[in-house]
Amino acid sequence: MLYNPIKYLKKDLFQVIYHVTYRCNSRCKHCFNWKNLTDLNKQELTLDEINKISKNLPTFPWFLISGGEPFLREDLPQIIKIFYDNNNLKYVTLPTNGILSTKIRDQVKEILTQCNGISLTMSLSLDHIGAKHDSLRNTKGNFESLITTFNYLKELKKDHKNLLIKFNTVITNKNYKDLDEIISYVKKLEPDLHTFDFIRGDPLDKTFTLPPREKIKEIIKKIKSTNKDYGGYTNLSVQNKLIKNIAGSVVLRYYDLFYETLEEKKQIIPCYAGSLSLVIYPYGDVSFCEMLEPFANLRDFDYNYKSIIKLQQSEKIKKLIKNKECYCYHPCYQYLNILYNPKYFIKHKNGI
């Protein structure tokens, strides 16, 4: 449907989420990955190991980088180039806290030069304005650096139509009351998009939670209204003009699904994480979903994806997901679940 009708029908691997490092130069209070950020004694996967992993993976269109802070890896452009060459990547999403402004500019330029056939989405984390943003992220000067990074990337965009720059805001009980102020500020900066996630998982600061339940519908309406002010994922048109429209609609449907999941506390539609997704962690551990524990380490299986997905533990996790013994509202998985469930997509076309 999006890139290959045969692979769509077979539900083959669609996205790989690769946490390239657990190192991070901020300590966000709402971070769900904070426990891993304190375990830095192991050896990260080397470029040689990454190349072996990549060569053993099938082709897949969507590559999501995660961390830690991805730009703390000096070889980030080389990592992306490996998957670009071996796996026929079409879309790369790269988040950052924006602190390392010059390094981010230089590495993004290198990525765009080496992998000129991809649609690259740069996602800049912005959870408030000024000192309030720095407080939420436990990092003085973060906000100022973030805006510098944004301006650097806007300059790069003049020569690279396949680059999209967006701000992403994580909504919690600590910032939802200021959402209008945040939205208004971002709009004046004129990014390509402003997207929103809701806090998930086990945060570093336990006082951080979702906004009050009675406010969720109002927040979703505000998000959907904001979405209409932007042109969507315009860089996806580099691959296929239809993709941009589909992606925009999927994002809108996600918020309906988020609300239903929150209310029902169960899988609303089937989850396909066991076949469509793979998560790779810095030291070679793998899982199908960031919300589930890793079930194997690629280093123990000669970096072979085909070997690990045949493991008994792998089958056990797939069965757990298929039997709806878990549920979450993680957007990276729910976007795909909506995309691969046309009935839900059409049913909820009008949204909340």
Side-chain angles (χ1 to χ4, degrees):
M1 182 178 180
L2 265 183
Y3 68 110
N4 185 317
I6 304 291
K7 290 175 76 71
Y8 176 79
L9 292 172
K10 289 175 64 178
K11 294 184 174 64
D12 281 348
L13 183 67
F14 186 94
Q15 71 175 5
V16 172
I17 301 174
Y18 180 19
H19 291 247
V20 294
T21 184
Y22 281 145
R23 289 174 285 152
C24 196
N25 47 2
S26 62
R27 285 293 180 269
C28 305
K29 297 175 182 178
H30 57 266
C31 179
F32 75 92
N33 201 25
W34 63 273
K35 291 179 183 177
N36 289 322
L37 305 188
T38 62
D39 181 18
L40 304 175
N41 297 318
K42 299 177 183 178
Q43 175 65 46
E44 294 173 350
L45 291 167
T46 65
L47 286 180
D48 181 57
E49 290 179 303
I50 292 167
N51 190 46
K52 290 176 182 177
I53 293 168
S54 175
K55 284 185 173 180
N56 282 310
L57 286 171
T59 59
F60 61 91
W62 218 292
F63 194 37
L64 293 90
I65 304 296
S66 191
E69 168 56 38
F71 287 94
L72 286 172
R73 278 205 68 147
E74 301 293 336
D75 54 3
L76 182 61
Q78 288 71 43
I79 291 173
I80 294 174
K81 181 67 161 56
I82 286 171
F83 286 94
Y84 176 70
D85 288 341
N86 294 338
N87 306 103
N88 196 27
L89 296 184
K90 301 297 183 185
Y91 319 98
V92 176
T93 301
L94 183 47
T96 179
N97 57 29
I99 293 174
L100 302 172
S101 302
T102 303
K103 187 175 183 181
I104 293 168
R105 177 197 63 196
D106 293 345
Q107 287 200 354
V108 169
K109 185 176 182 179
E110 187 175 350
I111 292 165
L112 289 166
T113 301
Q114 292 184 346
C115 310
N116 57 10
I118 62 168
S119 295
L120 175 63
T121 297
M122 287 298 302
S123 181
L124 308 181
S125 300
L126 184 146
D127 301 317
H128 218 299
I129 303 166
K132 291 181 179 179
H133 175 81
D134 292 353
S135 175
L136 291 175
R137 294 191 156 250
N138 268 327
T139 310
K140 188 175 181 180
N142 191 338
F143 183 79
E144 184 179 351
S145 296
L146 177 67
I147 300 305
T148 298
T149 297
F150 171 69
N151 289 326
Y152 281 162
L153 293 176
K154 282 191 78 173
E155 284 299 309
L156 284 180
K157 185 175 170 61
K158 293 177 182 179
D159 297 319
H160 299 279
K161 293 182 179 180
N162 55 332
L163 171 63
L164 181 136
I165 311 162
K166 71 170 186 171
F167 286 103
N168 186 71
T169 300
V170 176
I171 299 175
T172 72
N173 62 325
K174 306 293 185 179
N175 66 355
Y176 81 94
K177 292 180 180 179
D178 301 323
L179 203 52
D180 287 336
E181 179 187 357
I182 296 167
I183 289 170
S184 177
Y185 179 86
V186 169
K187 194 178 296 183
K188 291 175 184 176
L189 294 175
E190 299 184 342
D192 296 304
L193 271 179
H194 186 189
T195 57
F196 304 86
D197 288 337
F198 285 90
I199 186 175
R200 62 179 182 271
D202 176 27
L204 174 62
D205 185 331
K206 307 308 177 191
T207 67
F208 277 65
T209 65
L210 283 168
R213 186 65 58 86
E214 65 272 15
K215 298 292 183 179
I216 296 293
K217 273 194 174 183
E218 177 186 335
I219 292 169
I220 290 176
K221 287 180 180 178
K222 199 167 292 185
I223 291 171
K224 288 187 173 185
S225 175
T226 301
N227 187 274
K228 294 175 183 177
D229 294 334
Y230 294 93
Y233 287 90
T234 53
N235 64 330
L236 302 188
S237 297
V238 172
Q239 312 296 337
N240 187 314
K241 291 183 179 180
L242 176 62
I243 294 171
K244 171 185 170 292
N245 296 329
I246 293 175
S249 297
V250 167
V251 171
L252 288 176
R253 299 294 76 72
Y254 162 71
Y255 292 107
D256 305 333
L257 183 57
F258 163 77
Y259 186 80
E260 290 182 68
T261 304
L262 207 59
E263 288 291 300
E264 300 293 330
K265 294 183 172 60
K266 65 180 182 180
Q267 283 188 29
I268 304 300
I269 59 176
C271 180
Y272 304 120
S275 58
L276 295 175
S277 297
L278 180 70
V279 185
I280 305 173
Y281 293 100
Y283 312 131
D285 295 313
V286 291
S287 67
F288 293 123
C289 173
E290 289 177 316
M291 307 306 289
L292 299 174
E293 291 296 317
F295 61 84
N297 189 294
L298 284 160
R299 283 173 166 159
D300 298 329
F301 295 90
D302 197 28
Y303 310 99
N304 196 325
Y305 167 74
K306 294 177 183 177
S307 296
I308 63 167
I309 61 171
K310 293 177 182 177
L311 293 172
Q312 183 177 356
Q313 185 61 18
S314 168
E315 294 299 328
K316 182 179 178 181
I317 299 298
K318 288 183 180 180
K319 186 177 180 181
L320 178 148
I321 296 170
K322 186 176 181 180
N323 291 342
K324 299 188 176 184
E325 296 175 40
C326 63
Y327 74 92
C328 73
Y329 50 82
H330 194 314
C332 291
Y333 306 102
Q334 298 300 354
Y335 289 165
L336 293 190
N337 294 338
I338 295 168
L339 179 63
Y340 280 79
N341 196 309
K343 289 182 180 179
Y344 184 88
F345 186 86
I346 294 169
K347 176 184 175 184
H348 287 264
K349 194 170 182 180
N350 295 322
I352 287 178

